[in-house]
Amino acid sequence: MKSIKVTILGKQYPLKVEDHEEESMIRICKFVDERFKTYRQQLVKQPESTVMVLAALSIAEELFEARNATTELENNEEVLMERVNHSLERLLTEIRE
């Protein structure tokens, strides 16, 4: 495990990550920090906790949309593979006859 420090909305947070996860975690923290800053600029009069919750909800919404899109792609791929397999089976049957 490796100790790193990341900064989100001007506050440092210590994290322990596996060596191979360091770059990925730094990118994730930068993404979160940028999203929080964007919301901070748009919601100047709101408390920081509200800004963070709304930004987190926005990030979660993107995650759920990406998961749904992935599931749809997987389902479409499965349907396509079933059609290909059916066509191949039909072709093999025709060749045997």
Side-chain angles (χ1 to χ4, degrees):
M1 295 290 279
K2 183 173 187 173
S3 293
I4 62 171
K5 289 184 181 180
V6 297
T7 303
I8 298 176
L9 280 181
K11 295 181 184 169
Q12 275 199 344
Y13 296 92
L15 299 176
K16 287 193 182 259
V17 297
E18 297 290 336
D19 288 343
H20 67 277
E21 296 175 328
E22 181 179 3
E23 288 181 37
S24 176
M25 184 56 65
I26 289 171
R27 279 195 327 267
I28 290 168
C29 290
K30 284 182 181 180
F31 175 83
V32 169
D33 184 47
E34 288 172 10
R35 183 63 60 92
F36 283 2
K37 285 178 181 176
T38 298
Y39 272 72
R40 166 57 47 228
Q41 291 170 354
Q42 295 172 357
L43 303 167
V44 178
K45 295 181 181 181
Q46 295 297 321
E48 191 171 277
S49 60
T50 300
V51 171
M52 294 174 90
V53 166
L54 293 174
L57 288 171
S58 171
I59 293 168
E61 180 181 27
E62 283 183 30
L63 171 64
F64 276 66
E65 288 174 0
R67 283 182 177 171
N68 285 338
T70 299
T71 300
E72 286 179 26
L73 286 173
E74 289 171 351
N75 289 340
N76 289 342
E77 182 180 307
E78 187 175 322
V79 167
L80 180 60
M81 289 307 295
E82 287 175 10
R83 287 181 184 164
V84 168
N85 285 337
H86 179 70
S87 295
L88 287 172
E89 287 172 1
R90 206 173 33 170
L91 180 61
L92 287 172
T93 300
E94 288 175 9
I95 292 173
R96 289 182 190 144
E97 293 177 351

